[in-house]
Amino acid sequence: MQRRTDLIEDLMGRFPHIPREAVIKEDLLRGGLAFDDSALTDNENGDVKPKSYFIFSFDHRTLPELGEAALRRPPEEIVLTGGPYDLRRTVVSVRINPSSPYVVKPTEDGKLMLHLDGRPIADVGLPPMPDYYRHTLDNGKSVMEVAPTIQWGYLVYLTVFRVCQYFGAKEECQYCDINHNWRQHKAAGRPYTGVKPVDEVLEALAIIDKYDTAKTSHAYTLTGGSITSKVDGLAEADFYGRYAQAIEERFPGRWIGKVVAQALPREDVQRFYDYGIRIYHPNFEVWDKRLFELHCPGKERYVGRAEWHRRILESAEVFGPRNVIPNFVAGIEMAEPFGFRTVDEAIDSTTEGLDYFMSRGILPRFTTWCPEPTTPLGKTNPNGAPLEYHIRLLEAYRATMESNGLSTPPGYGPPGAGNAVFSVSSFMDTLPADE
């Protein structure tokens, strides 16, 4: 059996123009990593910022299967530097896989390092517990529960609706575990608020604003499950929009306002903008028509792929093309049993989608697929997509972006290897650094 070390070094040699940091980061995101018990956190009572499970589990095992990592949470993210590959500072979202060949553990002299195939390959830095996490709301809820921060503190992630109304096998996206993640946290007795009250969100943001004296947080994302009927008597645009309106009235201009929602009709999109949102993420998930219909049955049923794309283009007339940034889940193109059989086919398909949007000034971004075990695609594809697919996608993404004369999207922090903080894919690590 090929060692993982041989695979990543082969890809580093074949794609020398892709930062080696991105090769390792993509492998960690697609396949996960393990933590020695001594490298776990003391939850909210320690000096390390713990994993908040802000929307999906992003783990390769369920909570009951994580052992000590379910009781003492791993860190939200890690930062890699140095080692035999001389890595520049690389921020990586933590996705737990007890079977991973990557293990975070201390060396004999107590230094925390990432090991691959038993060999230390990078120094590991842990995110410090932010001051604002040490304070609670008046009702006792933690800031981490109501308004967690990710991307090394850059982004406040407001999952204000913790479940999705695309429900069951005939509607749920086949790669998504939002509903299971809700269920597993409730079953474990963890606080996990289904619908976050507006006043709690404002109170948590006030604590962040007060104690984030370095102004590390620059943006907030409003998101949650899709709404096909109503929540709190409100349809999707007004449900999510009411949070933006309250935030902008209370903290005008403090953060860049972003929303992840369905591709909605223009009048709803206009309301998002009027409420104060400045970046819109109507995620298209996967480009291929057949795979969209199979992997996103609820979105196909309620909206449809062609209408979804039309609405994305129409939303650019409201926000400006640069501020419409639809996500796709990189890797599900190759998921069995329906996905492409070769990396070439998958890259050709995804590049077609990238060019479709980029030629119109819209710059998609992507999240590296984590095959969560309770999802249909996770069950049939526990190893995810081949690492080569992810590396070639980084290559295709930058080439398509440059051929269309586009620059780094707003709201994601600095680009470039050693600078990027976007932690759930390497696309920002691979883009050219700012002058």
Side-chain angles (χ1 to χ4, degrees), residues 350-372:
T350 302
T351 301
E352 178 184 286
L354 290 174
D355 193 60
Y356 175 85
F357 290 114
M358 290 185 185
S359 64
R360 293 161 172 83
I362 293 169
L363 188 61
R365 52 95 164 174
F366 57 89
T367 300
T368 301
W369 175 39
C370 174
E372 290 134 329

Side-chain angles (χ1 to χ4, degrees), residues 108-129:
E108 291 183 358
D109 60 2
K111 186 177 183 181
L112 201 62
M113 296 199 75
L114 178 67
H115 294 71
L116 174 59
D117 296 327
R119 178 179 68 120
I121 63 166
D123 296 331
V124 173
L126 302 178
M129 179 70 78

Side-chain angles (χ1 to χ4, degrees), residues 302-324:
Y302 282 92
V303 181
R305 177 181 179 270
E307 177 65 11
W308 198 282
H309 292 174
R310 189 190 70 79
R311 291 178 180 182
I312 290 175
L313 301 185
E314 195 173 68
S315 67
E317 299 171 10
V318 176
F319 282 91
R322 178 175 169 78
N323 299 312
V324 176

Side-chain angles (χ1 to χ4, degrees), residues 137 139 146 196-205 243 246 250:
L137 280 62
N139 62 10
V146 178
K196 296 179 180 177
V198 175
D199 60 347
E200 289 185 7
V201 171
L202 293 178
E203 187 179 355
L205 289 175
Y243 294 91
R250 178 79 177 273

Side-chain angles (χ1 to χ4, degrees), residues 7-24:
L7 173 63
I8 67 163
E9 290 185 349
D10 174 65
L11 291 168
M12 286 176 178
R14 290 169 53 201
F15 299 93
H17 48 291
I18 298 296
R20 56 182 53 192
E21 294 84 357
V23 176
I24 292 175

Side-chain angles (χ1 to χ4, degrees), residues 270-304:
Q270 182 65 54
R271 289 213 297 284
F272 276 146
Y273 189 88
D274 294 342
Y275 282 132
I277 293 297
R278 289 298 172 263
I279 297 175
Y280 180 39
H281 301 291
N283 301 337
F284 69 87
E285 315 299 14
V286 64
W287 173 252
D288 181 77
K289 181 178 185 296
R290 180 179 63 94
L291 294 180
F292 182 88
E293 293 168 355
L294 290 167
H295 294 340
C296 306
K299 291 177 178 177
E300 175 63 23
R301 173 183 171 187
Y302 282 92
V303 181

